[in-house]
Amino acid sequence: MTKPLTTAEIRESFLAFFENKGSKRLPSASLIPNDPSLLLTAAGMVPFKPIFLGVKQPEVPRATTAQKCVRTTDIDIIGSTGRHLSFFEMLGSFSFGDYFKREAIAWSWEYSTEVLGLDPDRLWATVYRDDDEAAQLWEEETPLTAERIKRFDEADNFWAAGPTGPCGPCSELFYDRGADFACDEPDCSVGCECDRYVEYWNLVFMQYNRDEHGTLTPLPNQSIDTGMGLERMAAIMQDVASNFDIDLMRQLVALAEKITNTSYTGSFDADANTDTALRIISDHARSVAFLIADGVLPSNEGRGYVLRRLLRRAVRYGRLLGVSDPFMQQMTDKVIDLMGEHYQELLAHRELIAGIVAAEEERFLQTLRTGLSYLADALAALPQGGELSGAAAFELHDTYGFPVDLTLEIAAEGGYSVDSDSFEQHMDQQKERARGSVQDVSWSSFGGTHADIVQEFGATYFEGYNTYELDAVVLAIVDQDGKRVKKLKKDQQGELILNYSPFYGEQGGQAGDTGSISAAGASNGKGAYFQVTDTRIKDGLIIHAGTVQRGSIAASESVTAAIDLKRRNLIRRNHTATHLLHWALRKVVGTHVTQAGSFVGDTRLRFDFTHFERLTAQQLAEIERLLNEKIADDLPVRAFETTYTESRELGVMALFGEKYDEYVRVLEIGNTSKELCGGTHVGRSSEIGLFKITNEESVGANMRRIEAVTSIAAYDYVTTLQEELLAVATTLKASPRDVHAKVTTLLESSKKLKAQLKEGGAAASKMDTETLLDRAVVTKTSDGSYKTVIASPENVTAGDLRQVWDSVRQAGADACILLTADCATKKTIYLAAATDAATNAGFHAGQQVQQIAAATAGRGGGKPAMAQGGADELEPARLQEILAEVRAHCMAGS
Ligand code: SER
């Protein structure tokens, strides 16, 4: 059998080997884990965590995968070593309570020696300090002898996906690359940090679950999780020095060389800056392309920040190599070319990846341009090796959007430090300020009072999913100043806290209910009546804010709490429509769309989501139609409670970064949207009536907003549009359906008319020319005679005077003297011009203009054949006077 050499061949041989051992080949899971405790998928076992924990039943007892992984814990050293990558593929084999240590060990040996053909004499194994069983199995199942089976403690041979969760002792396989790769340490052996002994396969014996106190409890089943770094194995098989020299990576490095016009030497010396930069660009391009393909968009938090940081880091290293234009799209395109065949999601999202990379890079280059020059100035003002103030780093972050890790990096490169403590203080102060500015003063002062009330009575029971009016008891009253009081009198504002409430307090983007809280007899116009104008949640309490309209309300009184049902109905239609909108957006625009915020009120809804460009009219139309179809389908809307873990398995959408309780409420609309939601919704989709999008706009980088209306508001919206259309139709004397055709015809005819007018204008000026010529003055001199047009043409500017001269000359004039007011500036303008015949007979344009200039207190002059000039604005009468004088002179032949 030929040995697999390329990354693609190694990947395939691994999967096929374990398939032969009865494992099911499963596709790689997304880089976005279905697990709120993890930011990104960083190991092959991540998708199987619930199975290892016994929370989910496995569908098959054995599986094998090539899992895409992103790890950025050691981002700072990526590029400076040959082993670290932010993106890598992990070849994994898994047993879910099926085979255990013996098979895992025997098969790793079999694959290494028989499929990869690794020399058994170069292989070493390690086991966990106390794991005698594993050590013995290595001896039983393989030719390895005790001296080639090393024991290490927890740091090296105990594996866990995170601080909590499934874990267990592990056993690792090492390959000895030979003395050429060794360091100078005399005791260089397995476990040494140098490049000689490469750890290439980790066999984890999943035996325990670690809780938050660090306590280990045995897992229901003993399982196996093994992981082999594909790139590391490719480097061994291809006998190249580092991960960056393997077939796949080398092609990316080659493109980076081309883009940056540099050469890669493969050096890892501390000053090999070009090589380091090329490695960073090549590595980060893969993470960027894969993260976007899985729906991550650049942002300032969570995994969006990981993506942004990787992309920006690559761009900056490109700049260090002298590239000032955007280039990362070329790199990610290459990643797609090289890896799209195995990872189809890259091909499916080629355009999305290109669009996001281009937009983000452009934005960052802009930030860099401004930020870098600010930073350069700030550093230049420091003594050599000085410390940049926290205020300056904060200014860079806050005003220029310049990431602080970049400030730290650039400062360090120049031998400067940054006052990070002070920077953090500035950040904290800003957060404090932000908190202060968003809080509504009338609510902010209430803190302690509410906490006391909840201590005394517990949280309010919300009964309002299906009940809109109920009898309750007033537990506590808070006045306008935030103080606990016994009673609220007529016209006083304040808050009532009840034991039960049908009022939904504003949360999750849904507006709070309004309504009334009244004492017995209120319906007869007696008894107390408190109008609720807003409802909020605080410390678990439902707070009804409003004013006493009649009588007075005291603590411990029995009351009837009733919401404004009409308004609630409008709100819930909008809320259910918001879920459908989210679903439709992901369907039409792509699964990278995630909710970034929403507002659901009674008159409209607003939905903010992640996306990098304006939605096309076609996309909007498609979304609107899809929604209205689902409304017309009269789908059942079902809410049910389940555990958070279960909801994730049902594929329910949860908002990233939100903290959910163990029990969650799932809102399901037919077989379309499934989301976690505590809000109030319609019973069937048809209650929404109608859905219309009223606006789509950008609300920040990679963030868009859709505003929409439903039911009666949608009807009003459409009606208003229709009324406007009817008004236009009436004016046009057309039926509404013909308006478009009629307007098109009108526009065309208006265009024609304009053209005709232009022609008519030309004809009119021709007429003018003839009139002018009729009134021309003929001057006779001893040298001949000439005909001069002396006129004050209207509606002209200085530039037009020559044209007037051209037309009178063509019509037979020998000379002209034109004096008029510029139609635009009202200034006085004049021009004199003559043919050769006229100048030969004694006409001198320059002199004519000089005379006019003298008479108008203006300036001007020129040659005998052409002269012009100008003066300030003159009274029209004075202009005519001067013109008459000129005419008189001409007639007199002077
Ligand atoms: N989970 C282990 C690792 O990531 C083996 O797959 O190393």
Side-chain angles (χ1 to χ4, degrees):
M1 194 163 77
T2 48
K3 289 199 272 181
L5 272 183
T6 64
T7 26
E9 285 164 4
I10 298 169
R11 189 195 292 125
E12 178 53 35
S13 74
F14 183 96
L15 297 172
F17 177 83
F18 280 99
E19 255 177 341
N20 268 332
K21 300 287 181 205
S23 302
K24 175 140 175 101
R25 183 195 293 232
L26 295 175
S28 171
S30 167
L31 283 170
I32 303 181
N34 221 349
D35 183 337
S37 70
L38 299 173
L39 199 57
L40 291 165
T41 301
M45 57 75 70
V46 166
F48 305 114
K49 228 175 107 181
I51 301 181
F52 290 131
L53 285 171
V55 179
K56 188 178 162 182
Q57 284 312 305
E59 278 165 26
V60 289
R62 305 173 182 189
T64 179
T65 60
Q67 174 64 46
K68 47 190 176 179
C69 300
V70 169
R71 267 187 206 179
T72 53
T73 35
D74 32 36
I75 187 170
D76 296 328
I77 55 169
I78 291 171
S80 56
T81 84
R83 292 188 308 255
H84 291 90
L85 296 170
S86 67
F87 176 91
F88 59 94
E89 289 177 78
M90 189 177 280
L91 300 173
S93 62
F94 308 94
S95 151
F96 310 121
D98 189 36
Y99 67 82
F100 201 46
K101 291 187 189 179
R102 182 179 296 278
E103 293 83 347
I105 288 173
W107 292 342
S108 69
W109 185 266
E110 183 184 336
Y111 177 73
S112 300
T113 55
E114 290 176 27
V115 180
L116 298 178
L118 299 179
D119 176 0
D121 290 338
R122 287 178 175 248
L123 299 184
W124 294 68
T126 64
V127 296
Y128 180 53
R129 198 182 44 213
D130 306 330
D131 198 351
D132 298 333
E133 184 193 1
Q136 195 183 330
L137 286 170
W138 280 110
E139 288 196 55
E140 284 173 22
E141 293 294 325
T142 76
L144 287 183
T145 47
E147 56 280 9
R148 292 253 297 283
I149 302 163
K150 296 249 187 181
R151 289 179 186 242
F152 288 104
D153 56 21
E154 185 148 349
D156 291 300
N157 280 71
F158 197 94
W159 199 89
T164 60
C167 54
C170 64
S171 192
E172 293 181 327
L173 266 168
F174 283 76
Y175 179 76
D176 177 3
R177 303 207 69 187
D180 287 353
F181 289 86
C183 59
D184 300 332
E185 297 298 320
D187 55 352
C188 174
S189 176
V190 165
C192 177
E193 276 301 301
C194 77
D195 288 331
R196 174 164 179 177
Y197 298 94
V198 187
E199 179 250 302
Y200 69 91
W201 203 338
N202 186 10
L203 319 178
V204 183
F205 312 127
M206 286 290 182
Q207 283 170 274
Y208 305 110
N209 181 25
R210 182 157 35 203
D211 67 17
E212 52 273 25
H213 311 295
T215 315
L216 298 176
T217 13
L219 286 170
N221 290 311
Q222 293 193 324
S223 295
I224 290 291
D225 150 35
T226 88
M228 178 164 97
L230 173 60
E231 293 81 359
R232 276 189 192 182
M233 185 38 71
I236 294 173
M237 294 305 289
Q238 293 166 26
D239 197 19
V240 290
S242 87
N243 285 345
F244 294 91
D245 299 293
I246 65 173
D247 53 344
L248 208 153
M249 294 306 291
R250 190 64 188 90
Q251 295 190 61
L252 289 171
V253 173
L255 178 61
E257 283 177 283
K258 197 166 144 222
I259 292 170
T260 56
N261 201 13
T262 58
S263 320
Y264 183 66
T265 66
S267 163
F268 288 97
D269 291 346
D271 56 356
N273 294 335
T274 303
D275 286 333
T276 303
L278 291 171
R279 286 188 286 261
I280 287 174
I281 294 168
S282 310
D283 166 78
H284 292 8
R286 295 210 304 170
S287 291
V288 167
F290 274 92
L291 283 170
I292 300 174
D294 277 350
V296 182
L297 288 180
S299 76
N300 280 337
E301 54 200 15
R303 45 180 89 96
Y305 182 66
V306 172
L307 167 62
R308 170 163 283 168
R309 188 160 178 220
L310 286 163
L311 181 56
R312 292 184 165 198
R313 192 163 183 261
V315 171
R316 204 172 73 77
Y317 276 92
R319 265 183 76 101
L320 288 178
L321 296 186
V323 186
S324 48
D325 290 333
F327 67 91
M328 274 302 278
Q329 196 195 319
Q330 285 182 66
M331 292 298 302
T332 50
D333 251 343
K334 185 80 183 171
V335 173
I336 302 171
D337 292 344
L338 292 170
M339 303 187 72
E341 196 185 319
H342 188 77
Y343 293 103
Q344 291 281 324
E345 62 274 28
L346 289 175
L347 293 178
H349 294 113
R350 193 186 272 276
E351 271 174 44
L352 177 83
I353 297 169
I356 290 179
V357 169
E360 177 67 13
E361 190 170 5
E362 192 38 64
R363 195 171 295 130
F364 181 53
L365 286 173
Q366 188 54 43
T367 303
L368 268 185
R369 280 189 280 272
T370 5
L372 278 175
S373 74
Y374 176 95
L375 181 55
D377 289 349
L379 292 178
L382 295 176
Q384 190 54 42
E387 184 181 65
L388 185 74
S389 72
F394 178 75
E395 169 88 6
L396 270 162
H397 163 87
D398 197 43
T399 314
Y400 299 93
F402 203 74
V404 69
D405 48 19
L406 206 53
T407 304
L408 289 167
E409 241 177 272
I410 296 174
E413 275 163 18
Y416 300 94
S417 60
V418 177
D419 186 346
S420 301
D421 289 346
S422 152
F423 170 77
E424 290 303 334
Q425 275 166 17
H426 278 87
M427 288 294 284
D428 288 345
Q429 281 162 11
Q430 187 202 36
K431 277 188 204 136
E432 211 46 56
R433 279 198 298 278
R435 255 202 291 280
S437 66
V438 292
Q439 266 178 6
D440 178 346
V441 197
S442 62
W443 292 87
S444 63
S445 54
F446 293 174
T449 314
H450 293 118
D452 292 346
I453 297 173
V454 84
Q455 276 266 311
E456 196 174 332
F457 300 106
T460 318
Y461 288 98
F462 174 63
E463 295 285 338
Y465 284 125
N466 302 306
T467 308
Y468 312 119
E469 184 175 325
L470 53 74
D471 292 337
V473 174
V474 178
L475 296 181
I477 303 178
V478 177
D479 73 5
Q480 223 181 339
D481 302 323
K483 286 208 198 60
R484 185 97 176 259
V485 289
K486 290 232 147 47
K487 200 180 217 178
L488 276 187
K489 291 202 213 98
K490 186 169 181 306
D491 295 331
Q492 277 188 329
Q493 284 183 16
E495 307 166 359
L496 303 186
I497 320 289
L498 313 177
N499 52 350
Y500 294 98
S501 174
F503 283 77
Y504 184 85
E506 181 193 332
Q507 68 179 325
Q510 178 178 331
D513 279 324
T514 59
S516 66
I517 294 175
S518 51
S523 52
N524 304 328
K526 297 185 206 119
Y529 185 91
F530 179 85
Q531 188 170 23
V532 180
T533 48
D534 197 6
T535 311
R536 298 200 192 185
I537 304 275
K538 190 148 198 264
D539 299 332
L541 296 177
I542 298 179
I543 299 170
H544 311 85
T547 313
V548 180
Q549 306 246 308
R550 197 177 51 224
S552 64
I553 293 219
S556 307
E557 264 180 13
S558 293
V559 287
T560 301
I563 61 165
D564 178 344
L565 186 56
K566 203 165 163 202
R567 183 170 172 277
R568 161 75 81 81
N569 281 338
L570 295 172
I571 294 174
R572 59 180 172 189
R573 285 174 197 147
N574 282 339
H575 202 155
T576 309
T578 307
H579 284 223
L580 279 174
L581 173 60
H582 190 186
W583 168 82
L585 273 165
R586 289 171 65 90
K587 210 166 160 64
V588 174
V589 181
T591 48
H592 62 280
V593 167
T594 44
Q595 174 166 352
S598 71
F599 171 77
V600 180
D602 54 342
T603 56
R604 69 200 165 88
L605 67 94
R606 191 176 72 208
F607 187 76
D608 295 346
F609 57 99
T610 49
H611 184 52
F612 56 96
E613 64 184 3
R614 166 176 285 280
L615 297 193
T616 63
Q618 199 191 340
Q619 283 173 321
L620 288 171
E622 214 177 307
I623 290 164
E624 205 176 84
R625 176 151 193 105
L626 198 55
L627 245 105
N628 283 301
E629 268 171 24
K630 295 300 162 197
I631 291 170
D633 285 349
D634 190 29
L635 302 174
V637 178
R638 191 167 78 97
F640 60 93
E641 287 215 341
T642 179
T643 61
Y644 180 76
T645 321
E646 176 111 352
S647 76
R648 302 301 287 154
E649 279 158 31
L650 293 171
V652 175
M653 297 270 310
L655 297 189
F656 181 71
E658 284 281 298
K659 259 209 137 348
Y660 291 102
D661 293 337
E662 190 188 346
Y663 285 94
V664 289
R665 184 169 183 262
V666 177
L667 200 281
E668 185 181 63
I669 309 174
N671 56 359
T672 62
S673 149
K674 246 190 241 159
E675 276 189 47
L676 295 186
C677 181
T680 63
H681 289 268
V682 298
R684 299 193 76 89
S685 66
S686 57
E687 289 172 49
I688 301 169
L690 178 66
F691 172 85
K692 289 297 290 176
I693 294 175
T694 55
N695 186 36
E696 193 269 347
E697 63 182 2
S698 160
V699 281
N702 294 319
M703 194 79 78
R704 309 220 48 102
R705 168 171 295 174
I706 282 184
E707 284 168 312
V709 284
T710 69
S711 76
I712 202 73
Y715 168 80
D716 288 342
Y717 175 74
V718 174
T719 307
T720 311
L721 284 184
Q722 194 183 27
E723 277 166 8
E724 277 169 25
L725 178 66
L726 280 175
V728 177
T730 312
T731 314
L732 286 173
K733 295 198 175 49
S735 84
R737 285 188 187 282
D738 295 339
V739 161
H740 185 249
K742 186 123 191 197
V743 169
T744 314
T745 321
L746 275 176
L747 280 177
E748 271 166 15
S749 78
S750 127
K751 220 159 131 191
K752 269 192 208 138
L753 280 174
K754 271 195 196 136
Q756 279 170 10
L757 262 179
K758 223 168 160 190
E759 271 174 31
S765 69
K766 201 159 164 198
M767 238 166 61
D768 279 355
T769 312
E770 278 157 17
T771 327
L772 289 176
L773 214 60
D774 283 349
R775 291 170 45 202
V777 175
V778 177
T779 311
K780 285 202 170 84
T781 69
S782 48
D783 300 316
S785 80
Y786 52 89
K787 196 194 259 185
T788 310
V789 166
I790 298 160
S792 182
E794 281 177 5
N795 289 329
V796 290
T797 62
D800 298 332
L801 291 180
R802 276 171 188 259
Q803 281 165 18
V804 177
W805 161 232
D806 280 347
S807 37
V808 291
R809 184 178 55 187
Q810 271 165 31
D814 302 304
C816 77
I817 299 170
L818 306 172
L819 168 64
T820 188
D822 184 305
C823 67
T825 64
K826 306 288 171 236
K827 293 207 180 230
T828 309
I829 50 174
Y830 29 88
L831 175 134
T835 59
D836 286 349
T839 51
N840 289 340
F843 184 92
H844 194 293
Q847 284 168 9
Q848 293 289 349
V849 161
Q850 271 167 18
Q851 280 173 20
I852 300 174
T856 57
R859 289 177 1 173
K863 306 222 164 89
M866 172 62 69
Q868 48 193 334
D872 285 342
E873 185 178 351
L874 289 180
E875 288 290 324
R878 175 71 191 126
L879 211 133
Q880 291 307 324
E881 240 173 65
I882 298 170
L883 209 59
E885 282 166 26
V886 171
R887 182 177 289 274
H889 281 138
C890 269
M891 282 180 164
S894 56

